[in-house]
């Protein structure tokens, strides 16, 4: 990113930053050190997932030779630490803090001690299986963990200008450059979980070491050339013990290994893996001016967002493989919609914007952020969803094992703890997603109050943005630098009318690729006033989506709304809403924070029949009637914060 | 059963008997002998289920010492042979055939040779694990297989009056009586899959050997007294290898082992197991006049049929554990609804009627039989469903692994092949479900054309029933014996008007427990004419069933109807039906046999919007309209016989 300094001032996000600094990071640090008093929950009923403790820091101490013992946890347990470190780095940039920096510096020292002399870094293999390094790439997550460490090191360098982590990262990356490649003595292939490519490309941007760019290119372009690669590696490994139980039955497409990436036109397999792969494709396209990989990334973007995405920005329609299924298969009560997958979608969108300015990337980024991502975290910052359903019936989730992965309230931590630190690092680095700077134009992807100084064509531009977004659409920019540049204002896809003024006078405009570009020679104190009309919107879905057919979804601004039982009683499936419903907006400061709730009158389907012991009955003898019922909708991201109850986002349509 | 001779003459069922005799039994015999040219399908994507061949007869030859080699297949592979033998016995009773009897006699000889000298009979343990007999009862299915052999032996004895199989069965049962019980040197517990109890109770009825009654009583009453029993047995087994992969994680309730059976008030766990347990409970109640167990069975009956049953008579809401979940959780596209579970429900109903004359047992028996059970078999008699969905979208079944258990057309055979021979033995013994005789009254549970001679209070009663049921409700009885007895005519739950005449004169009647009892001194040639009005009925569901909410199901007589894509195009979820719809009945002789189809006009939801690349859109800008579309419904049992396509039973309700 070209941003030099962005200071976010929106209360909505300041609250999250404080949560991250004061709650999430200390809490997650305690978890990683096994000093938090919590119940660690399996994210699904898989026997192989350990859940007694994190042990992640202890693993590093053992690998570093400071303690004795065995590795504990997932084979990719190290990545929890790296993602925490990355989030801590972003946080240190915003809130410098010597005590925190002492912790992170010590952690980096520890990681350095755990690194082997040749640069190899992975506590599981160092402690438990030194002879099996890089021999089970589909399960080992060695390159995945390496990628996360490199990302953390780059972030730490950018945050505190300390090169220690970066040096460890370069030593690790150099080891990988030595080990992987097309030469006869090198390993010819790639990791089962994309991530190293992102790390290498970030490291390349900082170091300009072409080896890192070339290795990322190699990993991406090798992928899928031989769909049998992982099986061949397993056959060649004399040690037949598996690293992760249950991963042997997945098909090549689970790993996006079914065909070369340039030939992939549909999003297949594990949703997080897909988005990480696509993010790296978009990054490589940008760094290497690779139009072929950009076109491939666009196809995957279109398939995901036009055929396989929930209205919350959630992706992944099945728990089995946490994966995509097929176009328009979007069940609301059995889906996966992993928090990390929506985070990955934001990474993907952010990097596509650097290649291809178009507001549809920003729109989806906003949708995923304000719904699935922040919904993945409780309002206390200490409880998290892995799975983000659009419809929940607690009795069914507890008794139907096909839905046992759908938690009805947010657990404290997971045995496979990818999501909590991923939320932390995304939100802590939110400033890097607000603007895209290209060709002397600053494009505003996300609206939120901030004061910033950005570098445009090597010159600093300062301005201030004031807004109470996402609660209203009034946005004011005050320019603080007199200079010629373009300001690109996104008109969100949900917005149907707006007014735009420059220094209090209406401005003529064109919308191009979803942005209004105001390109002029700005003066200090120039004022832009953009008022995005933010009424309650009612959405319907593509006719091929069976699960949403005959249903409506309520949105206001970027926020999706839902019903909870605590406000509306049980049997939410009996409530019907007209698309002509009139909503009242209520500003409320409640257990859910300072939010806007929506109230309207729905129609509850009632029958005059005493069902008693009947399951089915002759419809012609039953008079159904609709009885008006006041309902209250809350922002989707706030659901599940008031105990266990029913929740529903898509409401039946009432044809009045 | 007290029936002496029932000759079914309805073309509908004669066709099935011919299918069983001419297609199913020879075909299944070829499969069991590995001489059929078929693809054996895994019934779900479980790696542990073998699917290359049946090998079931070969296992007996090896156990008998006639061949060398290893056991192949499921640990309960023997039961496929026993269920085939039982079906063959019923068929021999109806169609005596020396060639077939040569095969069955030889098979019984083979089974006798495979039996150990102490009476033990199970090819897996004899061949592979003689030291582990009865040491892993939760997985071993040893008593389950024994029960199936005993059932087959009883059926064979009743069919051909040959005691060879019965002698083997008694020797086996005696061995079990010796091995299991409360004495210190006996095994104190029971099988993971109920079935032996049914076998023992049938054997008791024939032999009057009280030991068999007592052992059935013991098995039933021990169940659930110690929910930890199975785990304790596994701990005590020095050999830690499992018999069936994937069964270790099931809870006690999977085995109905979570509490003593008298305390069980909800149907929990594996649906087939539940129905077999309940069948045995009803049988024991009848044989031993056990009112406590009868009351417990009634509670389970009510829970199943009033809270946890599909309108097709299918049961089991989830593939995981093939199990019940919770009240009103009845998803239509991801359920299990195993064919065997509905067969078990019929066993349960038939035996409850012997204790408690009430037509609700007969109604459910009829519902399960005419919908899920015969729907479990293709019209060619050679392809079978294990899972019976109420809604199918082929693209989703192929790509969403949460629905990979839902087959879109009937496979030829399964690695776990419980269902095909179970259908055969049920249909082949259909005559035993038609009437229940109690207190000098003959209750008609099922209507179908037949000539019969029944034994009532030791006296023979002969009559003839003529009807074209299930296609129309005109039923005529001609009495052929002059005697005092009662005839109980069931008024089906779907029937709302009927006329009843005795010798052409209207008859006054009362309905008691769903039956009209005509108790009189009959003369030869007395005529009863019962005309059940059989219009198309439209059903709605209990408001707590989320999956059926706002939907209607179409029924005519006992048959549920459904839509298929081949008749009605794709996107069946966009079709809406008014509950005031008028149907035209069409008698058709087509690829689906000689059936009645229903035609009506539905409303197809169409929008004026070009959805193109949109997934979601502002509903207020889209004009939806309903366009009338002629639709054709076919009997549910005939779906999936014309290639792969969409299917839907519950149709959206159109509020006109």
């Amino acid at each position: 990113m070209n941003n030099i300094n962005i200071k976010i001032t929106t209360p909505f996000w300041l609250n999250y930053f404080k949560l991250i600094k004061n709650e999430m990071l200390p809490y997650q640090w305690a978890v990683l050190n096994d000093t938090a008093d919590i119940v660690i929950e399996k994210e699904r009923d898989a026997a192989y997932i350990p859940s007694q403790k994190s042990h992640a820091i202890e693993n590093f101490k053992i690998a570093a030779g400071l303690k004795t013992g065995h590795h504990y946890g997932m084979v990719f347990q190290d990545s929890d630490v790296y993602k925490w470190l990355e989030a801590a780095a972003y946080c240190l940039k915003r809130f410098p803090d010597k005590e925190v920096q002492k912790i992170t510096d010590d952690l980096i020292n520890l990681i350095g001690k755990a690194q082997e002399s040749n640069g190899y870094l992975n506590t599981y293999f160092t402690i438990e299986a030194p002879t099996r390094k890089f021999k089970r790439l589909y399960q080992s997550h060695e390159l995945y963990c390496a990628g996360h460490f490199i990302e953390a090191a780059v972030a730490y360098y950018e945050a505190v200008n300390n090169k220690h982590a970066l040096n460890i990262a370069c030593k690790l990356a150099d080891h990988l450059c030595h080990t992987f490649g097309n030469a006869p003595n090198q390993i010819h292939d790639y990791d089962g979980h994309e991530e190293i490519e992102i790390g290498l490309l970030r490291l390349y941007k900082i170091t300009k070491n072409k080896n890192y760019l070339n290795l990322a290119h190699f990993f991406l372009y090798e992928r899928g050339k031989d769909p049998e690669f992982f099986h061949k590696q397993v056959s060649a490994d004399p040690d037949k013990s598996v690293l992760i139980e249950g991963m042997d039955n997945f098909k090549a497409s689970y790993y996006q290994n079914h065909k070369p990436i340039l030939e992939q036109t549909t999003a297949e397999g594990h949703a997080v893996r897909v988005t990480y792969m696509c993010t790296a494709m978009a990054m490589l396209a940008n760094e290497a001016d690779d139009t072929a990989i950009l076109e491939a990334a666009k196809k995957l973007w279109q398939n995901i967002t036009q055929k396989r995405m929930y209205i919350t920005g959630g992706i992944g329609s099945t728990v089995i493989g946490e994966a995509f299924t097929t176009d328009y298969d979007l069940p609301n009560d059995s889906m996966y919609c992993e928090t990390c997958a929506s985070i990955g979608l934001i990474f993907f969108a952010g990097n596509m914007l650097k290649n291809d300015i178009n507001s549809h990337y920003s729109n989806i980024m906003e949708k995923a952020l304000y719904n699935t991502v922040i919904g993945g975290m409780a309002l206390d910052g200490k409880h998290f969803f892995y799975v983000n359903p659009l419809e929940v019936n607690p009795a069914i989730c507890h008794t139907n094992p096909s839905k046992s992965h759908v938690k009805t309230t947010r657990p404290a931590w997971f045995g496979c703890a990818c999501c909590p630190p991923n939320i932390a690092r995304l939100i802590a680095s939110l400033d890097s997603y607000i603007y895209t700077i290209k060709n002397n134009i600053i494009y505003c992807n996300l609206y939120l109050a901030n004061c910033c100084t950005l570098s445009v064509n090597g010159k600093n531009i300062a301005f201030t943005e004031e807004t109470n977004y996402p609660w209203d659409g009034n946005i004011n920019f005050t320019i603080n630098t007199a200079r010629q540049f373009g300001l690109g204002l996104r008109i969100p896809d949900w917005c149907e009318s707006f007014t735009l003024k420059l220094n209090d006078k209406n401005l003529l405009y064109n919308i191009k690729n979803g942005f209004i570009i105001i390109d002029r020679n700005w003066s200090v104190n120039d004022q832009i006033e953009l008022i995005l009309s933010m009424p309650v919107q009612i959405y319907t879905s593509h006719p091929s989506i069976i699960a949403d057919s005959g249903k409506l979804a309520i949105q206001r601004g970027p926020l999706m709304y839902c019903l909870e039982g605590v406000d509306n009683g049980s049997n939410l499936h009996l409530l019907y809403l007209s698309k002509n419903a009139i909503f009242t907006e209520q500003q409320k400061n409640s257990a859910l924070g300072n939010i806007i709730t929506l109230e309207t009158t729905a129609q509850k389907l009632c029958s005059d029949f005493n069902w008693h012991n009947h399951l089915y009955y002759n419809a012609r003898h039953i008079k159904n009637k609709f009885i008006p019922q006041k309902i209250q909708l809350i922002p989707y991201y706030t659901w599940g914060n008031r105990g266990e109850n029913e929740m529903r986002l898509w409401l039946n349509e009432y044809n009045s």
Side-chain angles (χ1 to χ4, degrees), chain A:
Chain A
M1 287 301 296
N2 297 317
N3 61 299
I4 297 192
N5 193 315
I6 300 177
K7 192 177 164 220
I8 294 173
T9 54
T10 305
F12 186 90
W13 287 109
L14 285 183
N15 178 50
Y16 277 103
F17 299 146
K18 279 183 201 147
L19 267 186
I20 289 171
K21 179 178 189 300
N22 299 331
E23 302 294 339
M24 280 181 90
L25 290 178
Y27 170 76
Q28 292 183 11
W29 181 245
V31 171
L32 296 171
N33 283 276
D34 305 312
T35 57
D37 181 22
I38 54 160
V39 176
I40 295 184
E41 178 118 0
K42 294 180 184 179
E43 96 286 14
R44 52 190 170 107
D45 296 333
Y48 60 85
I49 295 180
S51 58
Q52 296 310 304
K53 56 189 173 184
S54 164
H55 205 260
I57 296 296
E58 201 72 3
N59 290 336
F60 279 97
K61 289 179 182 166
I62 295 165
L66 305 174
K67 285 204 172 181
T68 57
H70 281 281
H71 181 278
Y72 180 88
M74 303 298 292
V75 70
F76 50 81
Q77 205 83 343
D78 293 357
S79 65
D80 293 351
V81 175
Y82 301 148
K83 283 191 280 190
W84 180 88
L85 177 61
E86 188 183 342
Y90 300 132
C91 210
L92 277 170
K93 188 175 172 188
R94 182 168 292 115
F95 307 109
D97 182 317
K98 282 190 184 167
E99 276 181 52
V100 173
Q101 199 172 337
K102 171 79 169 65
I103 291 171
T104 50
D105 283 342
D106 288 350
L107 173 60
I108 291 162
N109 282 333
L110 175 63
I111 293 168
K113 285 179 187 160
Q115 185 172 40
E116 299 189 18
S117 58
N118 65 357
Y120 185 86
L121 176 60
N122 185 295
T123 69
Y124 175 80
F125 288 91
T126 296
I127 298 170
E128 299 294 337
T131 62
R132 297 183 84 191
K133 289 171 188 165
F134 301 132
K135 286 188 177 164
R136 291 242 166 182
L137 287 170
Y138 84 125
Q139 292 178 331
S140 75
H141 289 73
E142 286 161 288
L143 300 174
Y144 168 87
C145 288
H148 273 303
F149 176 69
I150 295 170
E151 284 209 79
V154 170
Y156 199 67
Y157 170 70
E158 291 180 328
V160 302
N161 204 21
N162 168 326
K163 280 206 162 182
H164 188 190
L166 200 65
N167 291 338
I168 298 169
C170 288
K171 188 174 168 186
L172 169 57
D174 292 341
H175 176 62
L176 299 182
C177 290
H178 174 75
T179 307
F180 289 87
N182 270 323
N185 60 338
Q186 290 181 305
I187 302 173
H188 201 78
D189 291 290
Y190 43 87
D191 199 88
H193 196 317
E194 302 89 335
E195 162 61 25
I196 183 62
E197 301 85 354
I198 296 173
L200 288 168
L201 289 163
R202 287 185 72 173
L203 193 59
Y204 165 69
K205 269 192 90 163
I206 296 286
T207 63
K208 297 297 169 198
N209 182 335
K210 279 257 180 192
N211 292 338
Y212 306 154
L213 177 70
N214 292 340
L215 187 59
H217 181 281
F218 171 81
F219 282 139
L220 282 169
Y221 275 89
E222 279 305 298
R223 191 164 212 96
K225 278 192 186 164
D226 177 7
E228 292 302 310
F229 156 61
F230 290 134
H231 288 297
K232 288 179 186 166
Q233 241 210 352
V234 168
S235 300
D237 183 5
D239 185 342
K240 294 303 171 200
S241 58
V242 297
L243 298 173
I244 304 178
E245 290 285 348
M247 284 195 77
D248 290 313
N249 290 327
F250 289 126
K251 291 187 287 191
S253 58
Y254 172 84
Y255 306 98
Q256 300 73 54
N257 189 31
H258 52 299
K259 47 174 95 161
I261 60 170
L262 294 192
E263 296 172 22
Q264 296 187 22
T265 56
T266 55
E268 302 295 341
H270 187 256
V272 175
R273 283 173 168 78
V274 171
T275 59
Y276 283 23
M277 177 181 83
C278 290
T279 299
M281 290 165 75
M283 291 173 82
L284 184 68
N286 192 39
E287 297 299 338
D289 219 2
D290 183 335
T291 52
I293 211 163
L294 178 60
E295 286 310 307
K298 280 185 187 173
K299 278 184 193 144
L300 290 170
W301 173 266
Q302 285 162 8
N303 181 251
I304 294 171
T305 61
Q306 295 173 4
K307 306 275 174 71
R308 302 187 175 196
M309 185 186 73
Y310 288 85
I311 198 166
T312 53
I315 48 176
S317 296
T318 175
V319 57
I320 301 174
E322 308 171 349
F324 290 102
T325 58
T326 191
D327 292 349
Y328 307 115
D329 178 33
L330 295 160
N332 291 312
D333 57 348
S334 63
M335 71 300 95
Y336 208 64
C337 286
E338 183 177 342
T339 309
C340 285
S342 290
I343 291 170
L345 193 58
I346 292 174
F347 297 156
F348 184 17
N351 283 286
M352 285 305 282
L353 280 160
K354 294 176 192 168
N355 296 290
D356 179 27
I357 286 292
N358 195 306
S359 71
H360 58 76
Y361 302 111
S362 325
N363 290 331
I364 299 292
M365 182 193 282
E366 180 180 83
K367 179 184 275 297
L369 176 67
Y370 278 98
N371 297 289
T372 300
V373 175
I374 60 173
M377 179 168 67
L379 297 172
D380 68 2
K382 295 199 261 192
H383 297 79
F384 305 93
F385 278 134
Y386 205 97
V387 171
N388 294 279
L390 286 79
E391 179 182 328
V392 164
N393 182 298
I396 293 174
C397 292
H398 293 317
T399 57
N400 187 331
S402 309
K403 288 169 187 156
S404 65
H405 60 291
V406 180
K407 302 300 173 202
T408 55
T409 54
R410 293 171 184 80
W413 195 257
F414 298 93
C416 172
C418 55
C419 297
N422 230 359
I423 298 176
R425 72 178 182 128
L426 178 81
I427 296 179
S429 63
L430 190 65
D431 47 9
S432 62
Y433 298 92
I434 305 172
Y435 302 110
T436 300
I437 300 168
K438 201 162 173 119
N439 301 332
N440 208 39
I441 300 171
I442 299 165
Y443 294 91
C444 300
N445 300 310
L446 300 176
Y447 291 116
L448 38 77
N450 70 97
C451 315
C452 65
T453 307
L454 305 178
S455 173
V456 180
N457 284 1
K459 305 271 170 59
N460 279 359
I461 305 283
F463 62 88
T464 304
E465 177 182 345
E466 291 179 295
T467 178
N468 191 31
Y469 204 90
W471 303 116
D472 72 52
N474 297 7
I475 301 155
N476 291 284
F477 291 88
T478 305
I479 307 299
N480 300 324
T481 306
R483 196 176 299 285
Q484 173 90 30
F485 68 93
L487 189 63
L489 301 174
R490 177 176 66 103
I491 304 305
D493 53 354
W494 51 260
C495 177
E496 301 195 324
S497 78
F498 61 90
T499 60
L500 177 62
K501 289 182 180 170
L502 169 63
N503 297 328
D504 239 13
K505 286 181 191 149
N506 284 336
L507 198 64
L508 288 178
Y509 59 81
N510 288 316
I511 300 181
K512 191 180 165 193
N513 296 324
F515 289 90
I516 294 172
I517 316 287
I518 310 172
D519 196 347
R520 68 192 299 269
N521 203 343
W522 298 88
S523 307
V524 171
N525 278 329
D526 272 353
Q527 301 278 334
I528 292 282
E529 184 190 61
L530 173 66
I531 300 181
L532 302 170
S533 176
M534 198 183 269
V536 177
Q537 304 278 29
I538 302 188
Y539 277 76
T540 184
S541 66
H542 191 288
S544 295
I545 305 177
I546 298 174
D548 302 340
S549 189
K551 295 190 182 136
L552 301 173
I554 311 305
Q555 182 170 355
R556 183 179 176 281
L559 299 172
M560 299 307 308
Y561 277 72
C562 67
L563 294 179
E564 273 201 304
V566 62
D567 301 313
N568 302 292
S570 58
N571 288 320
L572 299 177
H573 63 280
L574 297 178
L575 292 171
Y576 286 68
L577 189 70
S578 163
K579 72 178 180 183
N580 302 315
I582 293 164
F583 292 86
T584 313
E585 302 176 3
Q586 302 270 5
Q587 175 86 37
K588 281 192 186 163
N589 201 341
S590 71
L592 302 181
N594 196 358
I595 61 169
I596 290 177
T597 62
L598 305 178
E599 293 181 7
T600 188
T601 300
Q603 304 291 329
K604 184 158 190 170
L605 182 63
C606 300
S607 78
D608 62 353
F609 183 66
N610 178 4
W611 279 93
H612 190 47
N613 291 332
H614 294 280
L615 256 188
Y616 308 105
Y617 206 76
N618 190 323
R620 286 173 173 148
H621 298 316
I622 298 178
K623 281 211 181 71
N624 284 330
K625 57 181 171 183
F626 286 101
I627 296 178
Q629 179 181 320
K630 294 253 181 218
I631 59 170
Q632 175 178 277
L633 296 105
I634 58 169
Y636 172 75
Y637 79 87
T638 67
W639 87 271
N641 277 284
R642 294 173 294 174
E644 179 176 276
N645 69 149
E646 283 185 39
M647 185 276 287
R648 180 169 274 246
L649 190 147
W650 284 98
L651 311 183
N652 297 316
E653 179 169 0
Y654 177 69
N655 290 306
S656 51

